[in-house]
Amino acid sequence: MITQTKPQFLTECLIENLNNEWKVNSIESCRNTYTQLECEIGRKYIKVWSYLVSGGERLRGRSCWMFVDKNSGECYKPASHKAPAKGVRYLITQLADNPHICDAYGSFLYL
């Protein structure tokens, strides 16, 4: 039985892909600290959080990286950690197909 929606699945795939890429890039460039992502599923949105990892251990604190509409898959930049800003920036299908658009800082959401 399928319990995930398409936007949830694609968001998790994007997060896994980016986490792996950013970790490998940090190892190859001999950096000890890198960004990782995780998601929280709410009533209306999937909230994607970013946090830093250093020496294999998660550092304190996290920041809201992106909001994804659970039903439509529309992606929004965060206005705060509680709500997205107005205006759709991408569809999750676009980001999942082109993960190279995304960066660890979320600057791709500022069109």
Side-chain angles (χ1 to χ4, degrees):
M1 184 168 127
I2 298 175
T3 58
Q4 282 185 319
T5 63
K6 184 176 179 182
Q8 286 174 317
F9 177 76
L10 290 175
T11 301
E12 290 180 8
C13 289
L14 176 66
I15 289 171
E16 184 177 348
N17 188 347
L18 292 175
N19 282 346
N20 290 337
E21 180 182 334
W22 294 341
K23 184 174 182 178
V24 167
N25 287 346
S26 75
I27 292 168
E28 288 177 348
S29 61
C30 298
R31 284 180 290 136
N32 194 29
T33 305
Y34 53 93
T35 302
Q36 293 286 262
L37 302 173
E38 65 184 6
C39 68
E40 253 177 39
I41 299 172
R43 284 184 305 130
K44 188 171 181 183
Y45 296 104
I46 302 166
K47 195 183 303 184
V48 181
W49 295 94
S50 70
Y51 59 93
L52 290 176
V53 174
S54 180
E57 293 196 25
R58 182 177 174 161
L59 300 178
R60 290 179 37 167
R62 64 182 185 171
S63 60
C64 191
W65 193 69
M66 178 174 71
F67 284 89
V68 180
D69 188 294
K70 277 176 39 175
N71 299 315
S72 66
E74 296 170 335
C75 299
Y76 301 88
K77 75 176 184 179
S80 70
H81 69 279
K82 293 184 177 183
K86 289 184 176 20
V88 176
R89 306 305 168 129
Y90 288 97
L91 296 175
I92 192 63
T93 53
Q94 293 171 304
L95 296 178
D97 290 343
N98 304 293
H100 62 276
I101 294 172
C102 303
D103 67 342
Y105 314 105
S107 62
F108 67 99
L109 296 168
Y110 292 81
L111 300 175

